[in-house]
Amino acid sequence: MLKENYLKILERVKKACDKINKDYRNITIVSVSKTFKAELIKEIYDAGHRDFGENYIQEALKKIEKLPDDIRWHYVGRLQTNKCKDAVGRFSLIHSVDSLKLLNEISKRAELKNIKQNILLQINFHKEETKAGFQNIDELIGVIEAGIKLKNINIRGLMTIPPFTDNPENTRPHFAKLRETFELIKTKYSIDRFDILSMGMTDDFEVAIEEGANYIRIGRAIFGERKYD
């Protein structure tokens, strides 16, 4: 069942890419596996998938210990500074950096572990109160200029979660604006490997791909509704 769900998403990704003449292999599907047991993740893994997203540190760490080492784990939830010590070095990419304070704490923890941590900066230009993220370009630029000086941080790109809507087309302006911001930063700054635009989820990922996303975060369409013990 889960394998079939994953393969259906892969086919939809291929169709969305064909529409804009883009190679689907350049799209990373992050399967958001929060609240789902390791055994279910292994089903998707056995279908050839390697990128999984988690929201809760302690839950994720238990799964990381149980599952194969070649999985690329993504932290997609809101990260508290007091959890950085557990997150840094365990996730290949932290998608949700939303403040300079958090960025500095991640850098500090990465330095202690003698690693470079890949991160994305979360954008909230629509200023939705229930979501985190940088709310204007000046704030974002200030954090980027500080971040590029941190030797244990790799700023890999940007992430956003648009406002909920019943019509995926309503998300297009939000995705387009993030792409424009992404291109502006690439032009303005020389950042090594600034190459990830993470946007689009189950209900709107085709639109996100059309607007330039190369990372999409898919939970419900693969795993179904969330499971709670």
Side-chain angles (χ1 to χ4, degrees):
M1 176 66 175
L2 296 185
K3 177 180 178 180
E4 286 76 9
N5 290 348
Y6 166 68
L7 293 176
K8 286 177 183 177
I9 290 297
L10 191 57
E11 283 303 313
R12 287 172 63 185
V13 167
K14 290 178 181 178
K15 288 180 181 178
C17 288
D18 286 345
K19 189 174 178 181
I20 56 173
N21 197 28
K22 185 173 186 175
D23 189 340
Y24 79 93
R25 290 169 293 188
N26 292 329
I27 304 294
T28 296
I29 301 170
V30 178
S31 298
V32 180
S33 47
K34 62 182 179 182
T35 78
F36 290 94
K37 295 184 182 300
E39 292 79 7
L40 297 178
I41 296 172
K42 186 64 163 53
E43 288 186 36
I44 312 298
Y45 175 90
D46 289 341
H49 191 61
R50 293 296 180 269
D51 292 271
F52 294 90
E54 292 286 329
N55 283 54
Y56 310 114
I57 295 293
Q58 296 309 315
E59 176 190 339
L61 294 179
K62 291 177 182 177
K63 294 176 185 177
I64 290 170
E65 294 301 321
K66 291 181 179 179
L67 289 161
D69 291 339
D70 61 338
I71 288 178
R72 292 178 291 272
W73 293 98
H74 300 250
Y75 191 76
V76 298
R78 192 166 189 176
L79 182 61
Q80 297 175 319
T81 53
N82 65 349
K83 297 292 186 180
C84 286
K85 64 182 184 299
D86 297 318
V88 169
R90 305 306 298 273
F91 294 90
S92 63
L93 183 63
I94 296 173
H95 286 234
S96 50
V97 176
D98 60 359
S99 71
L100 181 57
K101 179 183 178 182
L102 179 59
L103 186 68
N104 284 330
E105 183 65 20
I106 291 171
S107 176
K108 171 186 169 183
R109 295 296 174 178
E111 184 176 8
L112 289 172
K113 295 183 179 182
N114 195 30
I115 63 169
K116 278 197 167 189
Q117 177 65 55
N118 293 316
I119 64 100
L120 302 180
L121 299 174
Q122 183 170 352
I123 307 303
N124 182 18
F125 286 163
H126 45 280
K127 299 181 180 179
E128 193 172 1
E129 291 184 1
T130 58
K131 293 189 175 77
F134 300 102
Q135 297 191 0
N136 61 70
I137 188 68
D138 291 335
E139 183 184 20
L140 176 64
I141 291 298
V143 171
I144 286 173
E145 290 183 347
I148 58 180
K149 297 174 184 176
L150 299 174
K151 62 184 178 64
N152 294 93
I153 292 288
N154 285 327
I155 301 176
R156 294 292 306 276
L158 306 178
M159 183 274 269
T160 198
I161 304 171
F164 174 78
T165 174
D166 290 330
N167 182 359
E169 279 299 319
N170 293 338
T171 63
R172 192 177 295 276
H174 300 284
F175 295 149
K177 183 164 185 173
L178 189 68
R179 185 194 68 245
E180 291 167 6
T181 304
F182 179 80
E183 295 297 339
L184 172 68
I185 292 168
K186 283 188 71 173
T187 301
K188 186 176 177 66
Y189 298 98
S190 296
I191 304 175
D192 290 341
R193 299 177 70 201
F194 188 81
D195 56 1
I196 297 174
L197 196 52
S198 175
M199 56 188 194
M201 296 185 287
T202 288
D203 295 323
D204 56 19
F205 72 84
E206 283 108 337
V207 174
I209 289 172
E210 290 174 18
E211 292 298 331
N214 56 6
Y215 276 54
I216 57 174
R217 307 176 304 276
I218 310 296
R220 188 176 71 254
I222 294 175
F223 287 98
E225 298 297 330
R226 293 184 195 171
K227 303 292 184 183
Y228 295 96
D229 291 331

